[in-house]
């Protein structure tokens, strides 16, 4: 079964510092990986995705993520955090063994950026 | 910018009642989904829909749940006889294609079952 893990329930970082939100996956074959953000009482917003090609992908709001096949990871990063980045972040995967049909989400990581 | 819209934003119902949640996907999208989120936690897949039929469903999506696209624009989720544990935020999503495309989510419908 395909799965994605977010080992940290919460990440705390000071504004201006770099941030990393971790994600690892466990699927057969080469997955398609996504990051979404959810602000309070809102829907999920797409940030970025890795399908193929360059392992470093850039997305919305200055976020980027690096696909690492050997470590089966897809960590979300930003060089300089903003207070407004505080939100719930979800990693998600589509796997080839399911025909890439459904998007399976991790448990989410709450990012708290302090002023 | 096109967006997925969902109604109602919040519905309160009694246990055992039927509920219909409505969604208008982005107009040129072909793939539709329902997810749910309980207490702001994990986002769980319920069902995917393409070409007027279910393409995949989860174990959560039992006989009490159904989906349809009655008029080519709306995409509905029906819960026939609600249970307390159906209380959740239900998100509709659509995508232009099924493999590499990202999902576009609506703002959600909060269902409270009393």
């Amino acid at each position: 079964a395909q799965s994605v893990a977010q080992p940290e329930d919460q990440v705390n970082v000071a504004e201006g510092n770099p941030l990393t939100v971790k994600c690892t996956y466990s699927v057969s074959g080469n997955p398609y990986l996504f990051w979404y953000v959810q602000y309070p009482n809102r829907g999920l917003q797409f940030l970025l995705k890795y399908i193929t090609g360059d392992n470093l992908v850039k997305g919305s709001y200055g976020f980027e993520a690096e696909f690492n096949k050997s470590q089966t990871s897809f960590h979300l990063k930003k060089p300089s955090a903003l207070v407004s980045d505080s939100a719930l972040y979800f990693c998600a995967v589509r796997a080839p063994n399911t025909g890439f049909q459904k998007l399976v989400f991790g448990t989410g990581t709450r990012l708290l950026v302090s002023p | 910018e096109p967006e997925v819209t969902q109604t109602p934003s919040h519905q309160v119902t009694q246990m055992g009642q039927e509920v219909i949640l409505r969604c208008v996907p982005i107009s040129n999208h072909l793939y539709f989904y329902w997810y749910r989120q309980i207490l702001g936690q994990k986002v769980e897949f319920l069902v995917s829909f393409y070409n007027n039929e279910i393409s995949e469903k989860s174990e959560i999506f039992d006989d009490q749940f159904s989906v349809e696209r009655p008029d080519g624009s709306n995409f509905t989720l029906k819960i026939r006889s609600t249970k307390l544990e159906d209380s959740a935020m239900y998100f509709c999503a659509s995508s232009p294609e099924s493999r590499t495309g990202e999902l576009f989510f609506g703002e959600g419908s909060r269902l409270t079952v009393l």
Side-chain angles (χ1 to χ4, degrees):
Chain A
Q2 63 186 57
S3 70
V4 58
Q6 295 181 243
E8 302 155 317
D9 290 336
Q10 181 163 314
V11 170
N12 298 303
V13 64
E15 187 174 33
N17 283 357
L19 69 87
T20 299
V21 183
K22 295 179 181 177
C23 172
T24 59
Y25 64 90
S26 174
V27 302
S28 302
N30 297 315
Y32 298 159
L33 294 156
F34 300 76
W35 275 101
Y36 281 80
V37 61
Q38 185 180 31
Y39 297 99
N41 300 310
R42 303 295 302 276
L44 288 89
Q45 296 179 35
F46 169 75
L47 281 177
L48 51 79
K49 65 182 177 183
Y50 172 81
I51 304 300
T52 188
D54 193 347
N55 289 342
L56 184 65
V57 292
K58 295 184 182 298
S60 307
Y61 313 120
F63 284 94
E64 58 188 29
E66 185 167 14
F67 173 65
N68 187 319
K69 188 171 184 177
S70 63
Q71 296 185 6
T72 63
S73 67
F74 189 57
H75 301 333
L76 181 71
K77 299 183 180 184
K78 186 173 182 180
S80 178
L82 300 172
V83 173
S84 57
D85 292 330
S86 298
L88 190 55
Y89 290 81
F90 290 96
C91 184
V93 63
R94 273 180 160 161
N97 61 330
T98 63
F100 301 99
Q101 281 287 335
K102 65 182 181 184
L103 196 59
V104 175
F105 286 86
T107 51
T109 298
R110 190 166 301 281
L111 174 66
L112 183 60
V113 182
S114 54
Chain B
E1 184 175 331
E3 58 182 22
V4 176
T5 57
Q6 291 186 240
T7 55
S9 57
H10 189 192
Q11 181 155 358
V12 180
T13 189
Q14 295 292 323
M15 189 170 55
Q17 295 297 303
E18 176 183 283
V19 163
I20 297 177
L21 305 179
R22 292 181 169 82
C23 169
V24 179
I26 295 173
S27 62
N28 63 341
H29 286 187
L30 301 175
Y31 299 86
F32 314 112
Y33 307 82
W34 283 101
Y35 283 79
R36 77 175 186 187
Q37 185 180 35
I38 297 176
L39 295 178
Q41 300 300 316
K42 187 173 183 178
V43 178
E44 299 175 302
F45 169 78
L46 292 178
V47 65
S48 57
F49 191 87
Y50 169 70
N51 199 26
N52 284 320
E53 61 183 27
I54 291 173
S55 48
E56 188 172 358
K57 61 183 180 180
S58 72
E59 57 275 9
I60 302 170
F61 195 88
D62 60 22
D63 291 343
Q64 294 299 312
F65 290 86
S66 62
V67 289
E68 64 175 2
R69 192 161 156 78
D71 56 12
S73 62
N74 290 286
F75 178 51
T76 62
L77 174 70
K78 181 191 290 187
I79 309 174
R80 289 190 185 81
S81 178
T82 50
K83 303 185 286 287
L84 295 176
E85 54 265 36
D86 293 328
S87 295
M89 181 72 89
Y90 288 81
F91 290 105
C92 174
S94 67
S95 180
E97 71 91 33
S98 67
R99 293 168 58 88
T100 63
E102 61 267 29
L103 273 59
F104 293 79
F105 284 83
E107 293 291 288
S109 293
R110 181 173 298 281
L111 175 64
T112 301
V113 182
L114 302 176

